[in-house]
Amino acid sequence: MRNAHLKFVCADVHLKVETSQSLFTNRYQEGQVIRVPVAHAEGNYFADAATLKRLEDRGQVAFRYCAADGTVDGTGNPNGSISNIAGVFNETKTVMGLMPHPENAVEPMFGGSDGKALFEGLVEALS
């Protein structure tokens, strides 16, 4: 869906790691706050109530938009995503859909490296 404010968003955002129990998040701690960029006009995640409940009940939410201090509320949500969801897993946590761009946060020289752990964890798990 289009972003809630109907504008292109290009900025660094904070994400709260919802679980460290996946190939993608095993290098993070549950509850850790990371900073990565977003760049999109269609990033407003939406799901019906039954799907949202199923995702929550099965621990399939990977990341949530949050404030720098980890508070999950509307202030850290750049696009209006339901429940501040920034990323979700499939049922087996082997596939992840993610709106922010951790691949653009892997080198301190270019603004940050909080996304690097995601890729290091994948490489380690698949080696």
Side-chain angles (χ1 to χ4, degrees), residues 1-4 40-46 79-82 99:
M1 287 179 47
R2 297 268 309 165
N3 291 341
H40 62 270
E42 294 85 17
N44 184 345
Y45 181 79
F46 178 80
N79 54 33
S81 292
I82 194 164
M99 179 47 65

Side-chain angles (χ1 to χ4, degrees), residues 4-5 7 21-24 29 31-32 37 47 52 57 64 75 104-105 110 122 124:
H5 299 294
K7 294 182 180 176
Q21 303 301 305
S22 80
L23 298 171
F24 302 93
Q29 298 296 313
Q32 182 178 348
L52 187 60
D57 290 350
R64 292 186 202 273
T75 61
N104 292 331
F110 297 116
L122 279 173
E124 180 180 301

Side-chain angles (χ1 to χ4, degrees), residues 23-46:
L23 298 171
F24 302 93
T25 59
N26 63 37
R27 289 278 184 107
Y28 298 112
Q29 298 296 313
E30 184 174 324
Q32 182 178 348
V33 175
I34 63 172
R35 184 176 56 92
V36 296
V38 294
H40 62 270
E42 294 85 17
N44 184 345
Y45 181 79
F46 178 80

